[in-house]
Amino acid sequence: MECAAKGRGTRCIGPATRRCGRCGAVAYCSVSHQLSHWRDHKQECERLELQMRSAEVLHDFPFTFSKEATLQVCEKQVTRCSFLMTRRLHLVGMWKYECSCGTSVASSDHLRIIDDWNLPSTLCPCCEPITPISICLRSWKDYYEWRCLPLHSPVALLLHWTLTVYHAIQLATITRSVDGSSNKIHIHYLGPDKELLQLAGFAELHALFPGIQVHMELVGPAVPQFRDGERIDLRSYVHCVEVDCSCKSSSDNASLLVSHGRNSAVTMRLHKGFYHDRYKEIVKESFPHLIIASNAGIAAYSSWLPTITIKEMDVPAIFSDYCEEAAHLAACCISSVTNRPLRLPQVQLNPFRQPMAVEDSALFLPCYSNCFVFGM
């Protein structure tokens, strides 16, 4: 962790080992840096103290591996690499992007969509659900029970993107406003990064919204130039490792391919660039029911400013971020810039956040991918 006063005056004299005695969320390299930073930190100290007190709630998951993936990762007793290695998932398929050893989006040149769980059928949702979805899922436990998955299955580590989209749609009550004649939900998904290497997981939206076609426009600077405009058709679920499983017979071994406009339950199109530069051309073909931005970092990146001030579109937007403080700062930024109250009255904990802590976060606050959600 870096000194909270780094870059503000004198140079740091060593590692940041001196934590704030009140909130415990930030640390400093020296007493002098802590004193000089107090003018800024006192505005946030009480808020961070409250967030630290409720941090235990963030670690609350129903999985058998919860302690290993949360507290032990935060305390550096376990790493993401070691967690995956013990399950023979390290640097394999979609899992290779879940630790720092994996390929980054920028360096990846794969055109093929990776569509393997690298797990047996008993541990992954590779086929149609045994029973159609009949309730609103409110937790990972609900999802695992519906999909008949044991709580030692690690698929939630990859499905948090998909279930966060599901949760955002529920929060925005989009399904109630879908045109019955088209039976289609249009989503504009902003700022995708790691998701671009795990797109196959979004095929699960077919099971979550039976009878509804979900179309997603993914827009962001991380989209490789050679994939700009690419259309993707997810025609079946991600496969298990079993050769004789029925998930293999549902296709000709090429179930998730770049397509040219075939109808499907889940379709996508990729766009390179910032949303405020591309949205006018995108809405000509696909006007959104909902805008979603995962791990947005709105308060950290000035490039969000022209996007959140687009006035032509009165569309609900749901954002997520890694920790409550980042979400709070983003919500304040949105309210200040737009002069409008948030659609969601307050920042909310996402029940479908990734159940593995982020390593080396900027604060002592526990951080999880898609941890908190808020909307405008």
Side-chain angles (χ1 to χ4, degrees), residues 76-304:
K76 301 186 184 301
Q77 298 173 6
V78 171
T79 66
R80 284 179 165 247
C81 290
S82 65
F83 180 93
L84 296 171
M85 285 176 182
T86 59
R87 291 158 179 80
R88 298 183 179 180
L89 295 172
H90 188 240
L91 297 180
V92 173
M94 292 191 293
W95 303 95
K96 72 175 64 174
Y97 312 113
E98 285 305 315
C99 68
S100 57
C101 303
T103 306
S104 67
V105 175
S107 61
S108 175
D109 60 356
H110 294 293
L111 183 61
R112 176 182 174 273
I113 304 297
I114 300 172
D115 63 342
D116 295 301
W117 283 116
N118 296 101
L119 292 167
S121 61
T122 55
L123 296 183
C124 62
C126 61
C127 298
E128 289 285 344
I130 295 174
T131 57
I133 190 167
S134 59
I135 63 169
C136 179
L137 305 178
R138 301 190 182 280
S139 67
W140 280 120
K141 189 173 185 291
D142 286 350
Y143 173 77
Y144 269 54
E145 288 180 351
W146 168 58
R147 273 308 220 157
C148 301
L149 296 170
L151 291 175
H152 62 271
S153 166
V155 294
L157 298 181
L158 300 184
L159 283 175
H160 68 103
W161 305 113
T162 305
L163 270 295
T164 294
V165 169
Y166 168 83
H167 186 56
I169 291 173
Q170 301 303 325
L171 288 175
T173 63
I174 293 302
T175 50
R176 300 177 189 174
S177 61
V178 174
D179 184 353
S181 61
S182 65
N183 232 21
K184 192 172 185 178
I185 295 177
H186 288 260
I187 297 171
H188 288 188
Y189 191 102
L190 313 189
D193 188 70
K194 188 186 295 183
E195 303 97 305
L196 296 168
L197 304 170
Q198 300 172 337
L199 291 175
F202 286 106
E204 185 67 2
L205 290 170
H206 171 53
L208 291 164
F209 297 105
I212 296 177
Q213 182 176 354
V214 179
H215 177 73
M216 300 175 66
E217 303 278 352
L218 291 90
V219 191
V223 174
Q225 186 63 54
F226 74 92
R227 301 191 71 177
D228 186 26
E230 177 183 318
R231 295 177 185 268
I232 297 169
D233 185 348
L234 304 182
R235 290 179 282 157
S236 72
Y237 299 108
V238 182
H239 295 162
C240 68
V241 296
E242 297 166 14
V243 176
D244 57 350
C245 180
S246 60
C247 70
K248 301 295 194 302
S249 62
S250 64
S251 68
D252 57 355
N253 296 323
S255 60
L256 300 166
L257 299 171
V258 177
S259 85
H260 301 284
R262 302 182 187 92
N263 290 327
S264 173
V266 181
T267 56
M268 299 176 165
R269 186 168 55 164
L270 307 183
H271 306 270
K272 181 175 181 59
F274 293 111
Y275 188 62
H276 52 268
D277 293 327
R278 302 295 304 267
Y279 82 96
K280 287 186 177 179
E281 64 180 275
I282 296 171
V283 297
K284 291 178 182 178
E285 292 187 38
S286 172
F287 195 89
H289 293 96
L290 175 65
I291 295 171
I292 297 174
S294 292
N295 299 328
I298 288 176
Y301 300 103
S302 60
S303 56
W304 277 109

